[in-house]
Amino acid sequence: MSAELDRLVAEFEKFQSRIKQAEASFAKVGDMQDEVTALEATAMSPDRAVTVVAGAGGSVKDIRLTEAALKQQPQQLATTLLSTLHRAVADAALKQAGIVDAHVGAAFGVDVSGQVLEAQAEAMGTTADELKSNASEAQPAPRRLSDDDLEHGDILRHDEPPAAPPPPPPAKPADDGVRRLWNHEED
């Protein structure tokens, strides 16, 4: 009977240890919420005429149109705007998933980013690998200078404000010890 009691006490202590580890992980939820609130994803149309900035939860924070966008036919502009909007929102969803993964993904053994990629791939009729490879190609190449630009001395474009550099990611406290402890306990 004593051996059974010792085993039960050990199991209870192990359970309490996991609860403390979970509480420590959830203590950082406020930091995660702040990062999610601040996240932004910017997408630009291939012709650079439309720029959309999306935030967490699919919110649209900004839409910028150049003079070239306003010269497009209404249906063409609507199509460009909608496809750019979709890309910005999809990028924001992926960034949001990455934040969740960084804070609690390992603790719960989930890959939210992978799940979001799979869902997006299914919705778009493609594969997650193809989406990953296309992500780096999604932004248009820098505009090349034309002879007109050089001839008129107008090398800088004045119809688009310069893009602000993305903010540096917030410093993240090291929680590898907690992850190692958590993973070790499960073995």
Side-chain angles (χ1 to χ4, degrees), residues 17-105:
S17 172
R18 286 189 179 173
I19 287 175
K20 287 179 184 176
Q21 291 167 352
E23 286 173 346
S25 293
F26 283 118
K28 295 180 180 158
V29 168
D31 294 339
M32 180 178 71
Q33 288 174 327
D34 291 343
E35 284 183 50
V36 167
T37 301
L39 89 82
E40 288 186 346
T42 302
M44 188 179 294
S45 62
D47 63 359
R48 297 183 164 271
V50 175
T51 302
V52 176
V53 180
S59 64
V60 177
K61 293 184 167 190
D62 191 19
I63 297 175
R64 294 186 294 266
L65 305 174
T66 64
E67 289 294 324
L70 300 176
K71 293 177 184 174
Q72 294 180 13
Q73 292 297 313
Q75 188 57 44
Q76 180 186 7
L77 178 58
T79 301
T80 301
L81 185 57
L82 194 56
S83 66
T84 307
L85 180 83
H86 284 163
R87 194 167 63 250
V89 169
D91 290 349
L94 199 53
K95 281 185 175 184
Q96 186 172 343
I99 292 169
V100 172
D101 282 342
H103 285 273
V104 295

Side-chain angles (χ1 to χ4, degrees), residues 88-150:
V89 169
D91 290 349
L94 199 53
K95 281 185 175 184
Q96 186 172 343
I99 292 169
V100 172
D101 282 342
H103 285 273
V104 295
F108 294 103
V110 294
D111 176 17
V112 179
S113 297
Q115 292 173 358
V116 167
L117 266 175
E118 289 294 330
Q120 289 177 350
E122 185 177 326
M124 295 178 193
T126 186
T127 66
D129 290 336
E130 192 173 320
L131 280 180
K132 284 180 196 176
S133 69
N134 289 343
S136 61
E137 301 167 10
Q139 292 302 317
R143 186 174 85 91
R144 295 184 187 264
L145 295 175
S146 69
D147 290 339
D148 282 345
D149 292 330
L150 298 174

